[in-house]
Coordinates of all heavy atoms in Angstrom, one line a residue:
D44 N -0.5 6.6 -7.7 CA -1.9 6.2 -7.5 C -2.3 6.2 -6.0 O -2.9 5.3 -5.5 CB -2.2 4.8 -8.1 CG -3.6 4.6 -8.3 OD1 -4.4 5.5 -8.4 OD2 -4.1 3.4 -8.2
Y45 N -1.8 7.3 -5.4 CA -2.1 7.4 -3.9 C -3.5 8.0 -3.7 O -3.8 9.0 -4.3 CB -1.0 8.3 -3.3 CG -1.3 8.6 -1.8 CD1 -1.2 7.6 -0.9 CD2 -1.6 9.9 -1.4 CE1 -1.4 7.8 0.5 CE2 -1.8 10.2 0.0 CZ -1.7 9.1 0.9 OH -1.9 9.4 2.2
R46 N -4.3 7.3 -2.9 CA -5.6 7.8 -2.5 C -5.7 8.0 -1.0 O -5.8 7.1 -0.3 CB -6.7 6.8 -3.0 CG -6.7 6.6 -4.5 CD -7.3 7.8 -5.2 NE -7.3 7.6 -6.6 CZ -6.4 8.0 -7.5 NH1 -5.3 8.5 -7.0 NH2 -6.5 7.8 -8.8
P47 N -5.6 9.3 -0.6 CA -5.7 9.6 0.8 C -7.1 9.2 1.4 O -8.1 9.3 0.7 CB -5.5 11.1 0.9 CG -5.8 11.6 -0.4 CD -5.5 10.5 -1.4
N48 N -7.2 8.8 2.6 CA -8.4 8.4 3.2 C -9.1 9.6 3.8 O -8.9 10.0 5.0 CB -8.2 7.3 4.3 CG -9.4 6.7 4.8 OD1 -10.5 7.3 4.7 ND2 -9.4 5.5 5.4
F49 N -9.8 10.3 3.0 CA -10.5 11.6 3.4 C -11.6 11.3 4.5 O -11.8 12.1 5.4 CB -11.1 12.3 2.3 CG -10.1 13.0 1.4 CD1 -9.9 12.6 0.1 CD2 -9.3 14.0 1.9 CE1 -9.0 13.2 -0.7 CE2 -8.4 14.7 1.0 CZ -8.2 14.3 -0.3
L50 N -12.2 10.2 4.4 CA -13.3 9.9 5.4 C -12.7 9.7 6.8 O -13.2 10.3 7.7 CB -14.0 8.6 5.0 CG -15.1 8.1 6.0 CD1 -16.2 9.2 6.1 CD2 -15.8 6.8 5.5
A51 N -11.6 9.0 6.9 CA -11.0 8.8 8.2 C -10.5 10.2 8.8 O -10.7 10.5 9.9 CB -9.9 7.8 8.1
R52 N -9.9 11.0 7.9 CA -9.4 12.3 8.3 C -10.6 13.2 8.8 O -10.5 13.9 9.7 CB -8.7 12.9 7.2 CG -8.0 14.2 7.6 CD -7.2 14.7 6.4 NE -6.2 13.8 5.9 CZ -5.9 13.6 4.7 NH1 -6.5 14.3 3.8 NH2 -5.0 12.6 4.3
S53 N -11.7 13.1 8.1 CA -12.9 13.9 8.4 C -13.4 13.5 9.8 O -13.8 14.4 10.6 CB -14.0 13.7 7.4 OG -13.5 14.2 6.1
L54 N -13.5 12.2 10.1 CA -14.0 11.8 11.3 C -13.1 12.2 12.5 O -13.5 12.6 13.6 CB -14.2 10.2 11.3 CG -15.3 9.7 10.4 CD1 -15.2 8.2 10.3 CD2 -16.7 10.2 10.9
A55 N -11.8 12.1 12.2 CA -10.8 12.5 13.3 C -10.8 14.0 13.5 O -10.7 14.4 14.7 CB -9.4 12.0 12.8
N56 N -10.9 14.8 12.5 CA -10.7 16.2 12.6 C -12.1 17.0 12.7 O -12.1 18.2 12.8 CB -10.0 16.8 11.4 CG -8.6 16.2 11.3 OD1 -8.0 15.7 12.3 ND2 -8.0 16.2 10.1
R57 N -13.2 16.2 12.6 CA -14.5 16.9 12.5 C -14.5 17.9 11.3 O -15.0 19.0 11.5 CB -14.9 17.5 13.8 CG -15.2 16.5 14.9 CD -15.8 17.2 16.1 NE -17.1 17.8 15.8 CZ -18.2 17.2 15.7 NH1 -18.3 15.8 15.8 NH2 -19.3 17.8 15.4
S58 N -13.9 17.5 10.2 CA -13.8 18.3 9.1 C -13.9 17.5 7.8 O -13.4 16.4 7.8 CB -12.5 19.1 9.0 OG -12.3 19.6 7.7
S59 N -14.7 17.9 6.8 CA -14.8 17.1 5.6 C -13.7 17.4 4.6 O -13.7 16.8 3.5 CB -16.2 17.4 5.0 OG -16.2 18.8 4.6
N60 N -12.8 18.3 4.9 CA -11.7 18.7 4.0 C -12.3 19.2 2.7 O -11.8 18.9 1.6 CB -10.8 17.6 3.8 CG -9.4 18.1 3.2 OD1 -8.8 19.0 3.8 ND2 -8.9 17.4 2.2
S61 N -13.4 20.0 2.8 CA -14.1 20.4 1.6 C -14.5 21.9 1.8 O -14.5 22.5 2.9 CB -15.4 19.6 1.4 OG -16.3 19.8 2.6
V62 N -14.8 22.5 0.6 CA -15.3 23.8 0.6 C -16.7 23.8 0.0 O -16.9 23.2 -1.1 CB -14.4 24.7 -0.3 CG1 -15.0 26.1 -0.4 CG2 -13.0 24.8 0.3
G63 N -17.6 24.4 0.6 CA -19.0 24.5 0.1 C -19.2 25.7 -0.8 O -18.6 26.8 -0.5
L64 N -19.9 25.6 -1.8 CA -20.2 26.7 -2.7 C -21.7 26.7 -3.0 O -22.3 25.8 -3.5 CB -19.5 26.6 -4.0 CG -19.8 27.6 -5.2 CD1 -19.5 29.0 -4.7 CD2 -19.0 27.2 -6.4
V65 N -22.4 27.9 -2.7 CA -23.8 28.1 -3.0 C -23.9 29.1 -4.2 O -23.3 30.2 -4.0 CB -24.5 28.6 -1.8 CG1 -26.0 28.8 -2.2 CG2 -24.4 27.7 -0.6
V66 N -24.5 28.7 -5.3 CA -24.7 29.6 -6.4 C -26.2 29.8 -6.5 O -27.0 29.0 -6.1 CB -24.1 29.0 -7.7 CG1 -22.6 29.0 -7.6 CG2 -24.7 27.7 -8.0
S67 N -26.5 31.0 -7.1 CA -27.9 31.4 -7.1 C -28.7 30.5 -8.1 O -29.9 30.3 -8.0 CB -28.1 32.8 -7.5 OG -27.3 33.2 -8.6
T68 N -28.0 30.0 -9.2 CA -28.6 29.2 -10.2 C -27.5 28.5 -10.9 O -26.4 28.9 -10.9 CB -29.5 30.0 -11.2 OG1 -30.0 29.2 -12.2 CG2 -28.6 31.1 -11.8
F69 N -27.9 27.4 -11.6 CA -26.9 26.6 -12.4 C -27.0 27.0 -13.9 O -26.2 26.5 -14.7 CB -27.1 25.1 -12.3 CG -26.8 24.5 -11.0 CD1 -27.4 23.4 -10.5 CD2 -25.7 25.1 -10.2 CE1 -27.1 22.9 -9.2 CE2 -25.4 24.5 -9.0 CZ -26.1 23.4 -8.5
D70 N -27.8 28.0 -14.2 CA -28.1 28.3 -15.6 C -27.0 29.2 -16.2 O -26.5 30.1 -15.5 CB -29.4 29.0 -15.8 CG -30.6 28.1 -15.6 OD1 -30.4 26.8 -15.7 OD2 -31.7 28.5 -15.3
G71 N -26.7 29.1 -17.5 CA -25.9 30.0 -18.2 C -24.4 29.8 -18.2 O -23.9 29.1 -17.3
F72 N -23.7 30.4 -19.1 CA -22.3 30.3 -19.3 C -21.6 30.9 -18.1 O -20.5 30.3 -17.6 CB -21.8 31.0 -20.5 CG -21.4 32.4 -20.3 CD1 -20.1 32.8 -20.1 CD2 -22.4 33.4 -20.3 CE1 -19.8 34.2 -19.8 CE2 -22.1 34.7 -20.0 CZ -20.8 35.1 -19.8
Y73 N -22.1 31.9 -17.5 CA -21.4 32.6 -16.4 C -21.2 31.7 -15.2 O -20.1 31.6 -14.7 CB -22.3 33.8 -16.0 CG -21.9 34.7 -14.8 CD1 -21.0 35.7 -15.0 CD2 -22.3 34.4 -13.5 CE1 -20.6 36.5 -14.0 CE2 -21.9 35.2 -12.5 CZ -21.0 36.2 -12.7 OH -20.6 37.0 -11.6
F74 N -22.2 31.0 -14.8 CA -22.1 30.1 -13.7 C -21.3 28.8 -14.1 O -20.7 28.2 -13.2 CB -23.4 29.7 -13.1 CG -24.0 30.9 -12.3 CD1 -25.1 31.6 -12.8 CD2 -23.5 31.2 -11.1 CE1 -25.6 32.7 -12.2 CE2 -24.0 32.3 -10.4 CZ -25.1 33.1 -10.9
G75 N -21.3 28.5 -15.3 CA -20.5 27.4 -15.8 C -19.0 27.7 -15.6 O -18.2 26.9 -15.1
R76 N -18.6 28.9 -16.0 CA -17.2 29.4 -15.8 C -16.9 29.4 -14.4 O -15.8 29.0 -13.9 CB -17.1 30.8 -16.4 CG -16.7 30.8 -17.8 CD -16.6 32.3 -18.3 NE -15.8 33.1 -17.5 CZ -15.8 34.5 -17.6 NH1 -16.6 35.1 -18.4 NH2 -14.9 35.2 -16.9
L77 N -17.8 29.9 -13.6 CA -17.6 30.0 -12.1 C -17.3 28.7 -11.5 O -16.4 28.5 -10.7 CB -18.7 30.7 -11.5 CG -18.7 31.1 -10.0 CD1 -19.5 32.3 -9.7 CD2 -19.2 29.9 -9.1
L78 N -18.2 27.7 -11.8 CA -18.0 26.4 -11.3 C -16.8 25.7 -11.7 O -16.1 25.0 -10.9 CB -19.3 25.5 -11.6 CG -20.6 25.9 -11.0 CD1 -21.7 25.2 -11.6 CD2 -20.6 25.7 -9.5
Q79 N -16.4 25.8 -13.0 CA -15.1 25.2 -13.4 C -13.9 25.7 -12.7 O -13.1 25.0 -12.2 CB -15.0 25.5 -14.9 CG -15.9 24.6 -15.8 CD -15.7 25.0 -17.3 OE1 -15.1 26.0 -17.6 NE2 -16.3 24.1 -18.1
Q80 N -13.9 27.0 -12.5 CA -12.7 27.6 -11.9 C -12.7 27.3 -10.4 O -11.7 27.1 -9.8 CB -12.7 29.1 -12.1 CG -11.4 29.8 -11.5 CD -10.2 29.3 -12.2 OE1 -10.2 28.9 -13.3 NE2 -9.1 29.3 -11.4
A81 N -13.9 27.3 -9.8 CA -14.0 26.9 -8.3 C -13.5 25.5 -8.1 O -12.8 25.2 -7.1 CB -15.5 27.1 -7.9
S82 N -13.8 24.6 -9.0 CA -13.4 23.2 -8.9 C -11.9 23.1 -9.0 O -11.2 22.4 -8.2 CB -14.0 22.4 -10.0 OG -13.6 21.0 -9.9
R83 N -11.3 23.8 -10.0 CA -9.8 23.8 -10.1 C -9.1 24.4 -8.9 O -8.1 23.8 -8.4 CB -9.4 24.7 -11.4 CG -9.8 24.1 -12.7 CD -9.2 24.9 -13.8 NE -9.9 24.7 -15.1 CZ -10.6 25.6 -15.6 NH1 -10.8 26.8 -15.0 NH2 -11.2 25.4 -16.8
Q84 N -9.6 25.5 -8.4 CA -8.9 26.1 -7.3 C -9.1 25.3 -6.0 O -8.1 25.2 -5.2 CB -9.5 27.5 -7.1 CG -8.6 28.4 -6.2 CD -7.2 28.7 -6.8 OE1 -7.0 28.5 -7.9 NE2 -6.3 29.1 -5.9
T85 N -10.2 24.7 -5.8 CA -10.4 23.9 -4.6 C -9.5 22.7 -4.6 O -8.8 22.3 -3.6 CB -11.8 23.4 -4.5 OG1 -12.7 24.6 -4.6 CG2 -12.1 22.8 -3.1
E86 N -9.3 22.0 -5.8 CA -8.4 20.9 -6.0 C -7.0 21.3 -5.8 O -6.2 20.6 -5.2 CB -8.6 20.3 -7.4 CG -9.9 19.6 -7.6 CD -10.0 19.1 -9.0 OE1 -9.1 19.3 -9.8 OE2 -11.1 18.5 -9.3
A87 N -6.6 22.5 -6.2 CA -5.3 23.0 -6.0 C -4.9 23.1 -4.5 O -3.8 23.0 -4.1 CB -5.1 24.4 -6.6
W88 N -5.9 23.3 -3.6 CA -5.7 23.3 -2.2 C -5.8 21.9 -1.6 O -5.7 21.8 -0.4 CB -6.8 24.2 -1.5 CG -6.5 25.7 -1.6 CD1 -6.9 26.6 -2.5 CD2 -5.7 26.5 -0.7 NE1 -6.5 27.8 -2.3 CE2 -5.7 27.8 -1.1 CE3 -5.0 26.1 0.5 CZ2 -5.0 28.8 -0.5 CZ3 -4.3 27.1 1.1 CH2 -4.3 28.5 0.7
G89 N -6.1 20.9 -2.4 CA -6.2 19.5 -1.9 C -7.5 19.3 -1.2 O -7.6 18.4 -0.3
K90 N -8.5 20.1 -1.6 CA -9.9 19.9 -1.0 C -10.9 19.6 -2.0 O -10.7 19.7 -3.2 CB -10.3 21.2 -0.2 CG -9.4 21.5 1.0 CD -9.9 22.8 1.7 CE -9.0 23.1 2.9 NZ -9.1 22.0 4.0
Q91 N -12.1 19.1 -1.5 CA -13.2 18.8 -2.4 C -14.2 20.0 -2.4 O -14.3 20.7 -1.4 CB -13.9 17.5 -1.9 CG -13.0 16.3 -2.0 CD -13.7 15.1 -1.3 OE1 -14.2 15.2 -0.2 NE2 -13.7 14.0 -2.0
L92 N -14.8 20.1 -3.5 CA -15.8 21.1 -3.7 C -17.2 20.5 -3.6 O -17.5 19.6 -4.3 CB -15.7 21.8 -5.0 CG -16.6 23.0 -5.3 CD1 -16.4 24.2 -4.4 CD2 -16.5 23.5 -6.8
I93 N -18.1 21.1 -2.7 CA -19.5 20.7 -2.6 C -20.3 21.8 -3.1 O -20.3 22.9 -2.5 CB -19.8 20.2 -1.2 CG1 -19.0 19.1 -0.7 CG2 -21.3 19.9 -1.1 CD1 -19.2 18.7 0.7
V94 N -21.1 21.6 -4.2 CA -21.9 22.7 -4.8 C -23.3 22.5 -4.6 O -23.8 21.3 -4.7 CB -21.6 22.8 -6.3 CG1 -22.3 24.0 -6.9 CG2 -20.1 23.0 -6.5
T95 N -24.1 23.5 -4.3 CA -25.5 23.4 -4.2 C -26.1 24.7 -4.8 O -25.5 25.7 -4.9 CB -26.0 23.2 -2.7 OG1 -27.4 23.0 -2.7 CG2 -25.6 24.4 -1.9
D96 N -27.4 24.6 -5.1 CA -28.2 25.6 -5.8 C -29.0 26.4 -4.8 O -29.8 25.7 -4.1 CB -29.0 25.0 -6.9 CG -29.7 26.0 -7.8 OD1 -29.7 27.2 -7.4 OD2 -30.3 25.6 -8.8
G97 N -28.9 27.7 -4.8 CA -29.7 28.5 -3.9 C -31.1 28.9 -4.4 O -31.9 29.5 -3.8

Side-chain angles (χ1 to χ4, degrees):
D44 196 27
Y45 175 67
R46 295 290 179 267
N48 190 337
F49 285 115
L50 177 58
R52 188 177 302 140
S53 297
L54 291 173
N56 300 337
R57 293 189 58 79
S58 163
S59 63
N60 201 45
S61 63
V62 175
L64 173 62
V65 181
V66 294
S67 51
T68 177
F69 289 148
D70 291 337
F72 89 95
Y73 177 88
F74 287 104
R76 269 176 57 195
L77 184 150
L78 291 171
Q79 286 180 346
Q80 186 59 33
S82 177
R83 292 191 200 102
Q84 194 62 18
T85 309
E86 287 177 4
W88 280 95
K90 293 183 180 293
Q91 296 174 310
L92 182 67
I93 301 177
V94 183
T95 186
D96 186 349

